[in-house]
């Protein structure tokens, strides 16, 4: 009799365990994005409901490629409650796409799959908005590249987005690259109406001087193209000094730079105007302040500094002049750059602005 009761109790527990199961229910298992613009990530959200009678735990969500990222509700989902699974597609490859999302949970020994579909196209983009700079029949999203706050040994990258609005295939090539810059176009050829990108890599090991290094590269519009203002792209890099070797005592005894102002509004300016402002530079630290480099980002700014070496408690004057006739030709904002031996302010930027009459 005891054996029969024990067996009956065991079978009852088994039946209850079988009945106490979470269940995944989706309002939809597929999402079609339709046509989406190139390089503009899109996200689909799938609502999941636990229609079982025990807590649902989603242990993992996988995607069929690195171009898709997934997020999901990590905490247990009680019976009758909802969770969310979101999938973001980076849209960096043109054409049709179908991507699978695998859902792993305690509701099933096998994954349950969702899918997202769509088409990445450049034809429906607003060229003037997304690629505002026109070089012949080619449009780009920027004509000025800046690598700021770099250290020796760094290899930072930047991208220029390129759209081919001509009626034939086009090969994006940057001309006159200096040794410290490398450029790779993806794809190597653009069909008409298609877009791609140029990835630019800076090798700071090949920069010769601290502070600002500037150059111009040129986007070829066709094979054998010449260089000129029309296809010029300016590139700036700022290399900072290395203070990682300083001890805490040396840092405490370091110079400290203080400026009377770093953002200057010159107000309205005509083409023939030259407006100046004097900035007071003071060393409030404990050792001599050295202005190692004093540079400007473009020809619209002139500077004049009385002293490059400033003892503790001493001030000097920096005269900054903005030239009106050069303002309209600028590809970068007018700024002054100082590289100093102050470990906390090795790079100091003075921003200038004016409104043209």
């Amino acid at each position: 009799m005891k054996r029969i009761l024990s067996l009956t109790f065991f079978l009852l527990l088994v039946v209850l365990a079988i009945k106490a199961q979470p269940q995944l229910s989706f309002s939809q298992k597929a999402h079609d994005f339709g046509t989406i613009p190139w390089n503009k990530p899109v996200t689909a959200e799938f609502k999941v409901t636990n229609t079982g009678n025990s807590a649902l735990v989603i242990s993992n969500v996988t995607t069929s490629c690195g171009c898709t990222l997934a997020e999901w509700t990590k905490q247990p989902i009680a019976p009758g409650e909802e969770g969310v699974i979101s999938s973001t597609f980076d849209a960096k490859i043109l054409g049709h796409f179908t991507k699978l999302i695998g859902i792993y949970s305690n509701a099933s020994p096998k994954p349950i799959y969702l899918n997202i579909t769509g088409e990445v196209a450049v034809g429906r983009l607003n060229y003037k908005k997304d690629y505002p700079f026109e070089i012949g029949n080619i449009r780009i999203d920027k004509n000025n590249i800046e690598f700021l706050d770099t250290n020796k040994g760094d290899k930072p990258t930047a991208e220029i987005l390129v759209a081919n609005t001509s009626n034939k295939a086009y090969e994006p090539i940057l001309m006159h690259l200096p040794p410290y810059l490398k450029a790779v176009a993806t794809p190597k050829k653009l069909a008409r109406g298609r877009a791609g990108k140029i990835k630019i890599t800076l090798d700071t090991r090949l920069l010769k001087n601290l502070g600002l290094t500037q150059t111009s590269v040129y986007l070829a519009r066709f094979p054998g193209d010449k260089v000129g203002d029309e296809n010029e792209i300016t590139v700036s890099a700022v290399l900072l000094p290395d203070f990682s070797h300083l001890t805490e005592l040396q840092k405490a005894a370091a110079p400290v730079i203080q400026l009377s102002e770093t953002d200057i509004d010159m107000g309205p300016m005509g083409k023939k105007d030259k407006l100046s402002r004097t900035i007071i530079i003071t060393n409030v630290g404990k050792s001599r302040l050295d202005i190692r480099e004093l540079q400007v980002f473009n020809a619209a700014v002139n500077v004049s500094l009385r002293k490059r070496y400033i003892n503790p408690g001493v001030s000097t004057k920096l005269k900054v002049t903005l030239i009106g006739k050069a303002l309209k030709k600028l590809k970068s904002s007018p700024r002054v750059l100082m590289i100093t031996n102050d470990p906390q302010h090795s790079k100091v930027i003075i921003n200038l602005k004016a409104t043209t009459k």
Side-chain angles (χ1 to χ4, degrees):
M1 177 65 74
K2 288 183 179 180
R3 183 178 293 179
I4 294 173
L5 289 174
S6 296
L7 182 59
T8 303
F9 181 73
F10 176 77
L11 291 174
L12 180 61
L13 290 177
V14 170
V15 170
L16 290 174
I18 292 173
K19 288 185 177 180
Q21 287 287 327
Q23 288 188 357
L24 280 166
S25 292
F26 292 93
S27 56
Q28 59 174 8
K29 288 188 176 182
H31 181 86
D32 185 4
F33 288 106
T35 302
I36 59 176
W38 177 79
N39 209 36
K40 301 288 185 182
V42 289
T43 300
E45 285 193 352
F46 298 89
K47 288 186 178 180
V48 54
T49 302
N50 180 5
T51 55
N53 54 11
S54 66
L56 169 66
V57 177
I58 300 173
S59 56
N60 194 20
V61 176
T62 62
T63 59
S64 56
C65 77
C67 57
T68 309
L69 298 176
E71 294 288 342
W72 66 94
T73 300
K74 302 294 196 304
Q75 63 268 27
I77 303 170
E81 297 297 322
E82 287 185 346
V84 175
I85 296 168
S86 65
S87 177
T88 300
F89 178 63
D90 63 15
K92 290 184 178 179
I93 299 177
L94 295 170
H96 292 276
F97 64 89
T98 298
K99 305 298 176 184
L100 294 177
I101 301 109
I103 315 302
Y104 293 80
S105 74
N106 62 340
S108 171
K110 295 181 180 180
I112 296 174
Y113 289 98
L114 311 173
N115 72 77
I116 56 174
T117 58
E119 180 183 10
V120 181
V122 75
R124 290 173 172 80
L125 290 180
N126 184 333
Y127 285 119
K128 290 185 178 180
K129 178 182 177 182
D130 298 312
Y131 303 84
F133 302 101
E134 191 173 15
I135 299 178
N137 290 321
I138 308 304
R139 300 190 75 100
I140 57 178
D141 70 326
K142 60 179 72 71
N143 62 3
N144 176 57
I145 298 289
E146 294 184 349
F147 297 98
L148 303 178
D149 297 338
T150 67
N151 296 284
K152 205 75 168 181
D154 291 350
K155 289 188 177 181
T157 62
E159 289 182 353
I160 299 174
L161 304 184
V162 185
N164 178 14
T165 60
S166 71
N167 57 4
K168 56 185 178 181
Y170 167 69
E171 185 175 357
I173 295 176
L174 283 182
M175 304 181 292
H176 285 218
L177 286 169
Y180 55 83
L181 292 178
K182 301 294 181 185
V184 177
T186 307
K188 291 185 177 180
K189 283 192 176 181
L190 297 176
R192 63 177 184 175
R194 296 298 188 181
K197 64 182 179 181
I198 301 174
K199 182 179 179 180
I200 301 172
T201 302
L202 167 67
D203 189 345
T204 57
R205 297 172 304 174
L206 301 179
L207 293 176
K208 295 181 179 180
N209 302 309
L210 290 176
L212 181 64
T213 298
Q214 290 183 303
T215 191
S216 290
V217 297
Y218 301 86
L219 182 65
R221 293 158 287 192
F222 47 82
D225 194 9
K226 297 181 180 180
V227 303
D229 292 340
E230 303 86 4
N231 59 345
E232 179 188 32
I233 298 171
T234 57
V235 182
S236 303
V238 176
L239 183 64
L240 302 179
D242 181 14
F243 292 107
S244 61
H245 62 283
L246 293 183
T247 66
E248 291 303 317
L249 283 176
Q250 288 173 321
K251 291 178 182 178
V256 178
I257 189 171
Q258 187 178 82
L259 283 76
S260 57
E261 57 184 329
T262 55
D263 294 285
I264 301 174
D265 188 348
M266 295 290 193
M269 289 189 68
K271 289 184 179 180
K272 297 182 180 180
D273 290 338
K274 289 185 179 182
L275 301 180
S276 298
R277 185 77 62 88
T278 297
I279 299 169
I280 306 299
I281 302 173
T282 305
N283 179 8
V284 296
K286 297 180 180 180
S287 59
R288 191 184 77 177
L289 174 67
D290 298 350
I291 309 296
R292 294 178 175 178
E293 299 289 341
L294 177 63
Q295 299 165 306
V296 297
F297 278 79
N298 45 59
V301 184
N302 282 339
V303 290
S304 175
L305 179 65
R306 286 194 177 182
K307 294 180 182 178
R308 283 184 175 266
Y309 307 106
I310 309 166
N311 289 322
V314 177
S315 299
T316 192
K317 293 181 179 180
L318 171 67
K319 183 180 179 181
V320 179
T321 301
L322 194 59
I323 303 168
K325 67 178 181 181
L327 286 177
K328 287 189 176 181
K329 298 179 181 180
L330 298 185
K331 292 185 178 181
S332 62
S333 58
R335 285 161 291 169
V336 178
L337 168 70
M338 286 190 288
I339 300 295
T340 81
N341 65 333
D342 175 355
Q344 300 301 317
H345 306 92
S346 60
K347 182 192 77 172
V348 177
I349 295 284
I350 300 171
N351 299 294
L352 306 171
K353 69 176 184 178
T355 53
T356 55
K357 295 190 218 180

